[in-house]
Amino acid sequence: MSWTPPGPPQPPPQPVPPPMPVAFSGSRKEFFRLVARGAGLELVTLGFYRFWLTTDIRRHLWSNTLIDGDAPEYTGRGKELLIGFLVALAILMPIYLGYFLIGIEAEHLKAFASLPLVAFFYLFGQFAIYRARRYRLTRTVWRGVRFWMSGSGWIYALKASLWGLLVVITLGLALPWREAALERYKMRHSYYGDLQGSFEGRGWDFFKRGWWLWLLMPFALVSVFGPFAYAAFKAIEWRWWLSGIRFGGVRLESTMRRSELIGLYWKVIGWAVLLGALFSAYLALCIFLAASMDGSSIADFFRTEAFARSIPLMVLLGIGYLALALAMNVVMRVYLMRDLWVRVLSSTIVHNIEAAANVTARGELANALGEGFADGLDVAGF
């Protein structure tokens, strides 16, 4: 008989860590005060305070988002956004002016003169979106380690433009595959320290979840079902996008239902109707006051076109329009930024968060020029 000595004792299998839900600890009242005060300062500063307001909003949302008990930190500054916007504006303005002068010289091509401009600014807008994302990532720190991003903004812009052309040709059917391809490129060049990101979502999975929306969209655009269809589409997109994100061994999962966002969009529509009614009443009051100051009836005020020469009326209308725009900004920031953020987080689960425990810090800070371009082209995300 032979006897084999026993080997070293085997370590017991490590238990699989449970999924970690993401939580939000911020107060809705605090956020409302933040954006309401910011709207007032935007009115006083003719809109220039929005760079500092954007920074404050990001700090509020980032610092109240709890992942495994720790919140990320947003280190961007309003001054950076302002400088990036001014530099971008200095670059964009000569382009606008040069194209305007060329258009005057080529008046006979006026019908086609706008096509190259639209194509150029779409391409440039996609470049700006990529660079703005890079800026926001490099200003996000979690547990002392910075997110960062590599890759080429121009390659991304070319990919986005070619996919956009295909989406137009296919009447929107190629949109899921466009989103999947662009997300793969962005996540492949996104890092948390030395932990590289990836995107596992497929266009076919996105299409299967929302194919019926493509059939309903022509009817939804001309009916009251439009907000329902759009809210359902965004909920499907959020769930598909979050469930495809990976950082090394860390993966996200979303349990968002299709009906999760419908109430938010209808609340925004309700507030828009209410604010529009208040603005109409304010408009009627301004016309009455201007006609009284002119010493004529309202019928004579319009018949003689005195309203077009009334400076007090123009001033009052300008103030009312700015107040309406800022009030709508507050509504949209509360419902479609803060409340949307909270609902997305409440449906998000993080798997294998321990894979991000031993990460080495890497990456350099990106300047705010990309975000400035995005702001100047009105394509800035959050």
Side-chain angles (χ1 to χ4, degrees), residues 285-298 301:
L285 179 61
C286 290
I287 293 174
F288 176 77
L289 292 176
S292 300
M293 294 172 60
D294 191 65
S296 59
S297 64
I298 294 180
F301 188 65

Side-chain angles (χ1 to χ4, degrees), residues 227-254:
F228 288 100
Y230 183 75
F233 170 78
K234 295 304 293 184
I236 292 172
E237 184 181 33
W238 273 110
R239 180 169 181 171
W240 168 81
W241 177 71
L242 285 169
S243 298
I245 291 178
R246 307 286 187 271
F247 273 100
V250 182
R251 69 180 181 91
L252 302 184
E253 180 187 0
S254 175

